Coordinates of all heavy atoms in Angstrom, one line a residue:
M554 N 201.0 187.3 115.8 CA 199.5 187.5 115.5 C 198.8 187.0 116.8 O 199.1 186.0 117.4 CB 199.1 186.6 114.4 CG 197.7 186.9 113.9 SD 197.4 186.4 112.3 CE 196.6 184.8 112.6
S555 N 197.9 187.8 117.2 CA 197.0 187.4 118.4 C 195.6 187.8 118.1 O 195.3 188.7 117.2 CB 197.6 188.0 119.6 OG 197.3 189.4 119.6
N556 N 194.7 187.2 118.8 CA 193.3 187.6 118.7 C 192.9 188.5 119.8 O 193.4 188.5 120.9 CB 192.5 186.3 118.8 CG 192.8 185.3 117.7 OD1 193.2 185.7 116.6 ND2 192.6 184.1 117.9
K557 N 191.9 189.3 119.5 CA 191.3 190.2 120.5 C 190.0 189.5 121.0 O 189.2 189.1 120.2 CB 191.0 191.5 119.8 CG 190.4 192.6 120.7 CD 190.5 193.9 120.1 CE 190.0 195.0 121.0 NZ 188.5 195.0 121.0
V558 N 190.0 189.4 122.3 CA 188.8 188.7 122.9 C 188.0 189.7 123.7 O 188.6 190.4 124.5 CB 189.3 187.6 123.8 CG1 188.1 186.8 124.3 CG2 190.3 186.7 123.1
T559 N 186.7 189.7 123.5 CA 185.9 190.6 124.3 C 184.6 189.8 124.7 O 184.3 188.8 124.0 CB 185.4 191.8 123.5 OG1 185.0 191.5 122.3 CG2 186.6 192.8 123.4
I560 N 184.0 190.2 125.7 CA 182.7 189.6 126.2 C 181.7 190.6 126.1 O 181.8 191.8 126.6 CB 182.9 189.0 127.6 CG1 183.9 187.9 127.6 CG2 181.5 188.6 128.1 CD1 184.2 187.4 129.1
D561 N 180.5 190.3 125.5 CA 179.4 191.1 125.6 C 178.7 190.9 126.9 O 177.9 190.0 127.0 CB 178.4 190.8 124.4 CG 177.2 191.7 124.3 OD1 177.0 192.4 125.3 OD2 176.5 191.7 123.3
T562 N 179.0 191.7 127.9 CA 178.5 191.5 129.2 C 177.0 191.6 129.3 O 176.4 191.1 130.3 CB 179.3 192.4 130.2 OG1 179.3 193.7 129.8 CG2 180.7 191.9 130.4
D563 N 176.4 192.4 128.4 CA 174.9 192.5 128.5 C 174.3 191.1 128.3 O 173.2 190.8 128.8 CB 174.4 193.4 127.4 CG 174.7 194.9 127.7 OD1 175.0 195.1 128.9 OD2 174.7 195.7 126.8
E564 N 175.0 190.3 127.5 CA 174.4 188.9 127.2 C 174.9 187.8 128.1 O 174.3 186.8 128.3 CB 174.8 188.6 125.7 CG 174.3 189.5 124.7 CD 172.8 189.4 124.6 OE1 172.2 188.4 124.8 OE2 172.2 190.5 124.3
C565 N 176.0 188.1 128.8 CA 176.6 187.0 129.7 C 175.6 186.7 130.8 O 175.1 187.6 131.4 CB 177.9 187.5 130.2 SG 178.6 186.5 131.5
I566 N 175.5 185.3 131.0 CA 174.6 184.9 132.0 C 175.3 184.4 133.3 O 174.7 183.9 134.2 CB 173.6 183.8 131.5 CG1 174.4 182.6 131.0 CG2 172.7 184.3 130.4 CD1 173.6 181.4 130.7
G567 N 176.6 184.6 133.2 CA 177.5 184.3 134.4 C 177.6 182.8 134.8 O 177.8 182.4 135.9
C568 N 177.5 182.0 133.7 CA 177.6 180.5 134.0 C 179.0 180.0 134.3 O 179.1 178.9 134.8 CB 177.1 179.8 132.8 SG 178.2 179.9 131.4
Q569 N 180.0 180.8 134.0 CA 181.4 180.5 134.3 C 182.0 179.4 133.5 O 183.1 178.9 133.8 CB 181.6 180.2 135.8 CG 181.2 181.4 136.7 CD 181.7 181.3 138.1 OE1 182.9 181.0 138.3 NE2 180.9 181.5 139.1
T570 N 181.3 178.9 132.4 CA 181.8 177.9 131.6 C 183.2 178.3 131.0 O 184.1 177.6 130.9 CB 180.8 177.6 130.4 OG1 179.6 177.1 131.0 CG2 181.4 176.6 129.5
C571 N 183.3 179.6 130.6 CA 184.5 180.1 130.0 C 185.6 180.1 131.0 O 186.8 179.8 130.6 CB 184.3 181.4 129.4 SG 183.7 182.7 130.6
V572 N 185.3 180.4 132.2 CA 186.3 180.4 133.3 C 186.9 179.0 133.5 O 188.1 178.8 133.7 CB 185.8 181.0 134.5 CG1 186.8 181.1 135.6 CG2 185.2 182.4 134.3
E573 N 186.0 178.0 133.5 CA 186.4 176.6 133.7 C 187.2 176.1 132.6 O 188.2 175.4 132.8 CB 185.1 175.8 133.9 CG 184.4 176.0 135.2 CD 183.1 175.3 135.3 OE1 182.8 174.4 134.5 OE2 182.3 175.7 136.1
L574 N 186.9 176.5 131.4 CA 187.6 176.0 130.2 C 188.9 176.7 129.9 O 189.8 176.1 129.4 CB 186.7 176.1 128.9 CG 185.5 175.2 128.8 CD1 184.6 175.5 127.6 CD2 185.9 173.7 128.8
C575 N 188.9 178.0 130.3 CA 190.1 178.8 129.9 C 190.4 179.8 131.0 O 190.3 181.0 130.8 CB 189.8 179.5 128.6 SG 191.2 179.9 127.6
P576 N 190.9 179.3 132.1 CA 191.1 180.2 133.3 C 192.2 181.2 133.1 O 192.2 182.2 133.8 CB 191.3 179.2 134.4 CG 191.8 178.0 133.8 CD 191.1 177.9 132.5
D577 N 193.1 181.0 132.2 CA 194.2 182.0 131.9 C 193.6 183.2 131.2 O 194.3 184.2 131.2 CB 195.3 181.3 131.1 CG 196.1 180.3 131.9 OD1 196.0 180.3 133.2 OD2 196.8 179.5 131.3
V578 N 192.5 183.1 130.6 CA 192.0 184.2 129.8 C 190.8 184.8 130.4 O 190.6 186.1 130.4 CB 191.7 183.7 128.3 CG1 191.0 184.8 127.5 CG2 192.9 183.2 127.6
F579 N 189.9 184.0 131.0 CA 188.7 184.5 131.5 C 188.6 184.4 133.0 O 189.1 183.5 133.6 CB 187.5 183.7 131.0 CG 187.4 183.8 129.5 CD1 187.8 182.7 128.7 CD2 186.8 184.9 128.8 CE1 187.7 182.7 127.3 CE2 186.8 184.9 127.5 CZ 187.2 183.9 126.7
S580 N 188.1 185.4 133.6 CA 187.9 185.4 135.1 C 186.5 185.8 135.4 O 185.7 186.2 134.5 CB 188.9 186.3 135.8 OG 188.7 187.7 135.4
F581 N 186.1 185.6 136.6 CA 184.7 185.9 137.0 C 184.6 187.1 138.0 O 185.3 187.1 139.0 CB 184.0 184.7 137.6 CG 182.5 184.8 137.8 CD1 181.7 184.8 136.7 CD2 182.0 184.9 139.0 CE1 180.4 184.9 136.8 CE2 180.6 185.0 139.2 CZ 179.8 185.0 138.1
D582 N 183.9 188.0 137.6 CA 183.7 189.2 138.5 C 182.5 189.0 139.4 O 181.3 188.9 139.0 CB 183.4 190.5 137.6 CG 183.4 191.7 138.5 OD1 183.0 191.7 139.6 OD2 183.8 192.8 137.9
T583 N 182.8 188.8 140.7 CA 181.7 188.4 141.7 C 180.8 189.6 142.0 O 179.7 189.4 142.5 CB 182.3 187.9 143.0 OG1 183.3 188.8 143.4 CG2 183.0 186.5 142.8
D584 N 181.3 190.8 141.7 CA 180.4 192.0 141.9 C 179.3 192.1 140.8 O 178.2 192.2 141.2 CB 181.3 193.3 141.9 CG 182.1 193.4 143.1 OD1 181.8 192.8 144.2 OD2 183.2 194.0 143.0
T585 N 179.7 191.9 139.6 CA 178.8 192.0 138.5 C 178.1 190.7 138.2 O 177.1 190.6 137.5 CB 179.4 192.6 137.2 OG1 180.5 191.7 136.8 CG2 180.1 193.9 137.5
E586 N 178.8 189.6 138.6 CA 178.4 188.2 138.3 C 178.4 188.0 136.8 O 177.6 187.3 136.2 CB 177.0 187.9 138.9 CG 177.0 188.0 140.4 CD 175.8 187.3 141.1 OE1 174.8 187.3 140.5 OE2 176.0 186.7 142.2
K587 N 179.5 188.5 136.2 CA 179.7 188.4 134.7 C 181.1 187.9 134.6 O 182.0 188.2 135.4 CB 179.5 189.7 134.0 CG 178.2 190.4 134.2 CD 177.1 189.9 133.3 CE 175.9 190.7 133.5 NZ 174.8 190.3 132.6
A588 N 181.4 187.3 133.5 CA 182.8 186.9 133.1 C 183.5 188.2 132.6 O 182.9 189.1 132.1 CB 182.8 185.8 132.1
E589 N 184.8 188.1 132.7 CA 185.6 189.2 132.1 C 186.9 188.7 131.5 O 187.3 187.6 131.9 CB 185.9 190.3 133.1 CG 186.6 189.9 134.3 CD 186.8 191.0 135.4 OE1 186.1 192.0 135.3 OE2 187.6 190.8 136.3
V590 N 187.5 189.4 130.6 CA 188.7 189.0 130.0 C 189.9 189.5 130.9 O 189.9 190.7 131.2 CB 188.9 189.5 128.6 CG1 190.2 189.1 127.9 CG2 187.7 189.0 127.7
R591 N 190.8 188.6 131.2 CA 191.9 189.1 132.0 C 192.8 190.1 131.2 O 193.0 189.8 130.0 CB 192.8 187.9 132.4 CG 192.1 186.9 133.4 CD 193.1 185.8 133.7 NE 192.4 184.8 134.6 CZ 192.3 184.9 135.9 NH1 192.8 186.0 136.5 NH2 191.8 184.0 136.6
S592 N 193.2 191.1 131.9 CA 194.0 192.1 131.1 C 195.3 191.6 130.6 O 195.8 192.1 129.6 CB 194.3 193.3 132.1 OG 195.0 192.9 133.2
E593 N 195.8 190.6 131.2 CA 197.1 190.1 130.7 C 196.9 189.0 129.7 O 197.9 188.4 129.2 CB 197.9 189.5 131.9 CG 197.4 188.3 132.5 CD 196.4 188.5 133.7 OE1 195.7 189.5 133.7 OE2 196.3 187.7 134.5
A594 N 195.7 188.6 129.3 CA 195.5 187.6 128.4 C 196.1 187.9 127.0 O 195.9 189.1 126.5 CB 194.0 187.3 128.2
T595 N 196.7 187.0 126.4 CA 197.4 187.2 125.1 C 196.5 187.0 123.9 O 196.7 187.5 122.8 CB 198.6 186.3 124.9 OG1 198.1 184.9 124.8 CG2 199.6 186.5 126.1
G596 N 195.4 186.2 124.1 CA 194.6 185.9 123.0 C 195.0 184.8 122.1 O 194.5 184.5 121.1
N597 N 196.1 184.1 122.5 CA 196.6 183.0 121.7 C 196.3 181.7 122.2 O 196.5 180.7 121.5 CB 198.2 183.1 121.6 CG 198.6 184.2 120.7 OD1 198.0 184.4 119.6 ND2 199.7 184.8 121.0
E598 N 195.7 181.6 123.4 CA 195.4 180.3 124.0 C 194.3 179.5 123.1 O 193.3 180.1 122.8 CB 194.9 180.4 125.4 CG 196.0 180.8 126.4 CD 196.3 182.3 126.4 OE1 195.8 183.0 125.6 OE2 197.1 182.7 127.3
E599 N 194.6 178.3 122.9 CA 193.7 177.5 122.1 C 192.3 177.4 122.8 O 191.3 177.2 122.1 CB 194.2 176.1 121.9 CG 195.4 176.0 121.0 CD 196.0 174.6 120.8 OE1 195.3 173.7 121.3 OE2 197.1 174.5 120.3
C600 N 192.3 177.5 124.1 CA 191.0 177.2 124.8 C 190.0 178.4 124.6 O 188.8 178.3 124.9 CB 191.2 177.0 126.3 SG 192.2 178.3 127.1
I601 N 190.5 179.5 124.0 CA 189.6 180.6 123.7 C 188.4 180.2 122.8 O 187.3 180.5 123.0 CB 190.3 181.8 123.2 CG1 191.2 182.4 124.2 CG2 189.3 182.9 122.6 CD1 192.2 183.5 123.7
E602 N 188.9 179.5 121.7 CA 187.9 179.0 120.8 C 186.9 178.0 121.4 O 185.7 178.1 121.2 CB 188.5 178.4 119.6 CG 189.3 179.3 118.7 CD 188.5 180.2 117.8 OE1 187.3 180.0 117.7 OE2 189.1 181.1 117.2
D603 N 187.4 177.2 122.3 CA 186.6 176.2 123.0 C 185.6 176.9 123.9 O 184.4 176.6 123.9 CB 187.4 175.3 123.9 CG 188.4 174.4 123.0 OD1 188.1 174.2 121.9 OD2 189.4 173.9 123.6
A604 N 186.0 177.9 124.6 CA 185.2 178.7 125.4 C 184.1 179.4 124.6 O 182.9 179.5 125.0 CB 186.0 179.7 126.3
A605 N 184.5 180.0 123.5 CA 183.5 180.7 122.7 C 182.5 179.8 122.1 O 181.3 180.2 122.1 CB 184.3 181.4 121.5
D606 N 182.9 178.6 121.7 CA 182.0 177.6 121.2 C 181.0 177.1 122.3 O 179.9 176.9 122.0 CB 182.7 176.4 120.6 CG 183.4 176.7 119.3 OD1 183.1 177.8 118.7 OD2 184.3 176.0 118.9
A607 N 181.5 177.0 123.5 CA 180.7 176.5 124.6 C 179.9 177.5 125.3 O 178.9 177.1 126.0 CB 181.7 175.8 125.6
C608 N 180.1 178.8 125.1 CA 179.3 179.8 125.8 C 177.9 179.7 125.4 O 177.5 179.9 124.2 CB 179.9 181.2 125.4 SG 178.9 182.5 126.1
P609 N 177.0 179.5 126.4 CA 175.6 179.3 126.1 C 174.9 180.6 125.6 O 173.9 180.6 124.9 CB 175.0 178.8 127.4 CG 175.9 179.3 128.4 CD 177.3 179.3 127.8
A610 N 175.5 181.7 125.9 CA 174.9 183.0 125.4 C 175.6 183.5 124.2 O 175.2 184.6 123.7 CB 175.0 184.0 126.5
S611 N 176.6 182.8 123.6 CA 177.3 183.2 122.4 C 177.8 184.6 122.5 O 177.7 185.4 121.6 CB 176.4 183.0 121.2 OG 176.1 181.6 121.1
C612 N 178.3 185.0 123.7 CA 178.7 186.4 123.9 C 180.2 186.6 124.0 O 180.6 187.7 124.3 CB 178.0 186.9 125.1 SG 178.4 186.2 126.6
I613 N 181.0 185.6 123.7 CA 182.4 185.7 123.6 C 182.8 186.0 122.2 O 182.5 185.2 121.2 CB 183.2 184.5 124.1 CG1 182.8 184.2 125.6 CG2 184.7 184.6 123.9 CD1 183.4 182.9 126.1
I614 N 183.4 187.2 122.0 CA 183.7 187.6 120.6 C 185.1 187.5 120.4 O 186.0 188.1 121.1 CB 183.2 189.1 120.4 CG1 181.7 189.1 120.7 CG2 183.5 189.6 119.0 CD1 181.2 190.3 121.4
V615 N 185.6 186.8 119.4 CA 187.0 186.6 119.1 C 187.2 187.3 117.7 O 186.7 186.9 116.7 CB 187.4 185.1 119.0 CG1 188.9 185.0 118.7 CG2 187.1 184.4 120.3
E616 N 188.1 188.3 117.7 CA 188.4 189.0 116.5 C 189.8 188.6 116.1 O 190.8 188.8 116.8 CB 188.4 190.5 116.7 CG 187.0 191.1 116.9 CD 187.0 192.6 117.3 OE1 187.6 193.3 116.5 OE2 186.5 192.9 118.3
K617 N 189.9 188.0 114.9 CA 191.2 187.7 114.4 C 192.0 188.9 114.0 O 191.4 189.7 113.3 CB 191.1 186.7 113.2 CG 190.1 185.5 113.5 CD 190.8 184.3 114.1 CE 189.8 183.2 114.1 NZ 190.2 182.2 115.1
E618 N 193.2 189.0 114.4 CA 194.0 190.1 114.0 C 195.2 189.7 113.1 O 195.6 188.6 113.2 CB 194.5 190.9 115.2 CG 193.4 191.5 116.0 CD 193.9 192.3 117.2 OE1 195.1 192.1 117.6 OE2 193.1 193.2 117.7
Ligands
SF4_1221 S1 180.5 181.1 129.1 FE1 179.5 183.0 128.2 S2 177.7 183.2 129.4 FE2 179.0 181.9 130.6 S3 180.2 183.2 132.0 FE3 181.4 182.9 130.1 S4 180.9 184.7 128.8 FE4 179.3 184.5 130.4

């Protein structure tokens, strides 16, 4: 079982909190100045929930599968 993680980039303010908390899953796109989900991320890392909770824009969406 794994979770699907997406970022609503329209809402992302580029604070990089998610990247600091969970660098295996989130990276920062310096072109768009938004966070993005790494393509190889499994969705199982515990820090995903921490990042979603800490995101000031509440734009990290975790879908339980
Ligand atoms: S914590 Fe939220 S607002 Fe900040 S960079 Fe990550 S997705 Fe964007």
Side-chain angles (χ1 to χ4, degrees):
M554 189 159 100
S555 70
N556 297 330
K557 183 164 179 282
V558 186
T559 49
I560 294 173
D561 182 347
T562 49
D563 287 342
E564 299 295 326
C565 174
I566 59 171
C568 69
Q569 300 194 49
T570 299
C571 57
V572 182
E573 289 170 16
L574 289 175
C575 204
D577 288 343
V578 175
F579 301 100
S580 61
F581 190 69
D582 186 329
T583 52
D584 290 334
T585 62
E586 301 195 325
K587 308 271 186 182
E589 59 186 14
V590 179
R591 294 182 182 277
S592 58
E593 70 272 25
T595 64
N597 285 325
E598 285 82 354
E599 290 178 12
C600 56
I601 292 172
E602 294 283 351
D603 294 340
D606 288 345
C608 174
S611 299
C612 63
I613 298 174
I614 301 140
V615 183
E616 293 174 54
K617 311 271 188 199
E618 291 183 344

